Amino acid sequence: MLAAFTFNTAENLPVGLLEPISDSLRVSVPAVGLLVTGYAVTVAVSSVPIAHVVRTVPRRHVLTALLAALAVSSLVAALAPSYWLLLGARLLTALAQALFWAVMGPVAVGLFPPRVRGRVVGALSVAGSFALVLGVPAGTWLGRRTAWQVPVAALAALAAVSLVTIATLLPTSRPDEEPAAYGTGPDVRRFATVLAAGALSATGAFAGFTYIAKFLGDVSGFSPGAVGLLFVVFGLACLAGVSITGALLDRFPRSALSAAVATQAVGLTGLYAFGDRPVTAVVFLVLMGGALGPVFMTTQNEMLHCAPGRTDIALAANSGAYNAGIAAGAALGGLVLALADVRAAFLAGGLLTCAAGVVLLGGRLLQARNMGGATRRRAMDTTG
């Protein structure tokens, strides 16, 4: 959980320190923004290849190496005298995170009985969500009152604590012999459905979320100070969403994903339609925040069930698809913003999220039809 918190904070911290980093290294704000976009693209491209390369290495060794990479890259970033060295350190962190999300899930849930694996995934997601509620705001506050390098260096210390704990306490075993190495109900069609729905949901979410500050200021009419407070509200909604979903995940694994996607669609389209009214804007912002974390969490949980092969490869594919959606969503939102206005970006995001819901519904209907056909064939065989 601490490692998940540290990785997610490292990923998103530059968002709160764009201007201090820009002034310190004498580069433009868009160039600093590349530290986030390039991070997501790196995770999207490298997740599956790296997971395949280390598929036979004991997971204790892999996680120890990943946390060492996080600690070293955070120190290099904090000491970087130039933008390009900082970018290189960020890409090293991204490579480590690409593999971390693929390996961490099977290792953590494999330590517990199958009946509570959903709660374990929920706990990890809560820790990741704390990065938005606590990690990034605290890092931003510290970086603006001291220097942006201070919170970046603090991430190295957190990574070191996780590294020592895992290296000391985690059992060493062959990856293919771990309890959660393979899906509980392998299903290629379900795997493809969840992968597509997750990517569409991420694209839709970040088509709007990337420009949420502009929306709340220009459309909803909130002051800059109020916008900052609403970011805290958004983070708390995200934390509440993953906490509630995690408690129900073992009982309703498929319904949880559909509910999260539907809630996100309502939040995005509601902001488009009614975001010019401050009170309703807050309501739909909370709905959007309450769904953002659960969408990724529930797709990760689905991969532990429907993975057609090794769960680490399936989780890597899911992480890669989701991060590709993040990058695509930010780019799409920027394009829509240039052609129309910020409200249209939320409409585009809502429509894409609705498309994700259609994909899930189509997958469920197809599965029901196939099950019905199999039942009829068995009945005919029995009659014969």
Side-chain angles (χ1 to χ4, degrees), residues 113 241 284 373 378:
F284 289 113
R378 284 195 298 269

Side-chain angles (χ1 to χ4, degrees), residues 9 159 208 239 325 345 349 352:
T9 302
L239 180 61
L352 283 167

Side-chain angles (χ1 to χ4, degrees), residues 2-69:
L2 178 60
F5 170 83
T6 306
F7 266 114
N8 273 15
T9 302
E11 178 180 7
N12 295 288
L13 185 57
V15 173
L17 298 173
L18 289 177
E19 293 180 357
I21 295 175
S22 172
D23 294 340
S24 172
L25 299 180
R26 299 179 181 179
V27 295
S28 66
V29 170
V32 180
L34 184 61
L35 298 175
V36 178
T37 307
Y39 194 106
V41 172
T42 300
V43 173
V45 172
S46 62
S47 291
V48 173
I50 297 178
H52 183 75
V53 168
V54 302
R55 65 190 183 279
T56 61
V57 181
R59 285 348 198 182
R60 182 170 72 89
H61 300 160
V62 171
L63 286 171
T64 300
L66 294 178
L67 290 164

Side-chain angles (χ1 to χ4, degrees), residues 322-337:
Y322 193 86
N323 278 275
I326 292 175
L332 174 64
L335 178 62
V336 172
L337 191 63

Side-chain angles (χ1 to χ4, degrees), residues 200-210 264 268 288 292 322 346 349 353:
L200 283 170
S201 296
T203 305
F206 284 86
F209 178 67
T210 307
Q264 180 178 297
L268 285 163
M288 181 183 167
L292 188 63
Y322 193 86
F346 282 78
T353 308

Side-chain angles (χ1 to χ4, degrees), residues 183-232:
T184 56
D187 188 334
V188 174
R189 287 180 177 173
R190 182 64 183 172
F191 169 76
T193 298
V194 173
L195 204 64
L200 283 170
S201 296
T203 305
F206 284 86
F209 178 67
T210 307
Y211 306 97
I212 187 65
K214 181 174 178 60
F215 182 96
L216 292 173
D218 294 354
V219 178
S220 304
F222 289 104
S223 67
V227 169
L229 179 61
L230 288 174
F231 268 101
V232 176

